[in-house]
Amino acid sequence: MAIITSTTLDYFEKIAAKPEKKRRRHSYYWNEIINYCNYFSHDDYSVLEVGCGTGELINALKGKRKVGIDFSEGMIEIAKKKFLQPEFKVMAAEEISLNEKFDVVILSNLIGYLDDIQQVFQALHKVCHSETKIIVTYYNYLWEPFLKLGEKIGLKTPTPVQNWLTLSDINNLLYVAGFDVYRNAKRMIFPFYI
């Protein structure tokens, strides 16, 4: 059974209508994530995004079949209004109940908000076949002081407290869940173009 803190859900329901303006302001960061994920996808692949929010990433990715899930009804409602092609479902990451396997599974900027990261990684087995690529994007925990400063001066939307994990923490959690990590990448020094 999933434990979803009401604080986190309330936060995402509250910001559901706001991300588009902020996302455009930080387009460098989001475009880098799209480019990275598209490198591993293909027009014939099936793609699942866990924690899809309002659907911008899953919509921009290559793929024959694209599905986005999120635990926020507000986010999914907006995603369905904005995009016709990806399929969107309200579903908690801890309780994935899809009856299909995907070629690519993406968790973008999600794991910091999860109460039980290990449970989510275990749940991914339901939607993976032996060749599935799982892509976890997560920003560097060293950015925390700058992100908090950005929140204080209004450049960034304040967020709930997150889990801050190192790359080796994420690798270890994936290994314990039965996945082999074959690539790590550090693509951005800063989340904005210099």
Side-chain angles (χ1 to χ4, degrees):
M1 183 170 171
I3 302 169
I4 300 169
T5 60
S6 62
T7 306
T8 305
L9 182 56
D10 291 346
Y11 166 75
F12 284 104
E13 292 293 343
K14 180 179 171 185
I15 67 159
K18 297 179 184 178
E20 191 168 332
K21 182 179 174 186
K22 296 267 186 184
R23 195 173 183 105
R24 275 193 302 257
R25 187 186 322 164
H26 304 292
S27 62
Y28 171 76
Y29 176 77
W30 296 111
N31 288 339
E32 280 297 306
I33 291 173
I34 290 167
N35 293 336
Y36 184 75
C37 293
N38 265 333
Y39 178 81
F40 296 98
S41 193
H42 187 276
D43 291 331
D44 293 330
Y45 282 6
S46 58
V47 183
L48 170 67
E49 184 184 6
V50 180
C52 67
T54 55
E56 285 84 1
L57 175 59
I58 190 70
N59 183 66
L61 294 178
K62 294 184 269 184
K64 184 176 180 179
R65 170 144 171 75
K66 300 188 280 187
V67 177
I69 64 170
D70 200 287
F71 75 143
S72 166
E73 289 183 33
M75 293 281 189
I76 292 297
E77 185 179 311
I78 290 168
K80 285 180 177 180
K81 288 177 184 174
K82 287 172 67 172
F83 307 112
L84 299 175
Q85 201 273 326
E87 182 179 331
F88 295 103
K89 297 176 181 275
V90 176
M91 190 178 302
E94 296 88 350
E95 297 178 349
I96 295 174
S97 59
L98 300 171
N99 293 322
E100 61 184 299
K101 307 292 185 185
F102 292 86
D103 299 310
V104 178
V105 177
I106 297 169
L107 292 86
S108 180
N109 294 320
L110 172 71
I111 61 174
Y113 295 105
L114 298 172
D115 289 324
D116 191 340
I117 299 164
Q118 189 66 43
Q119 182 182 358
V120 172
F121 286 167
Q122 292 286 63
L124 293 181
H125 284 285
K126 298 174 192 172
V127 293
C128 292
H129 54 70
S130 62
E131 300 297 317
T132 298
K133 296 176 188 99
I134 298 173
I135 301 171
V136 178
T137 68
Y138 186 63
Y139 49 84
N140 191 325
Y141 69 96
L142 296 175
W143 294 355
E144 171 72 351
F146 302 105
L147 295 174
K148 289 300 176 193
L149 176 64
E151 288 177 4
K152 286 184 185 205
I153 61 175
L155 293 175
K156 182 183 175 306
T157 303
T159 58
V161 175
Q162 294 189 48
N163 296 310
W164 286 97
L165 299 123
T166 65
L167 191 57
S168 59
D169 291 335
I170 297 167
N171 288 345
N172 288 335
L173 288 167
L174 285 163
Y175 177 78
V176 170
F179 294 106
D180 293 323
V181 176
Y182 74 92
R183 179 180 289 180
N184 287 304
K186 296 177 182 178
R187 291 180 54 92
M188 277 186 261
I189 297 172
F190 299 108
F192 48 85
Y193 183 73
I194 298 177

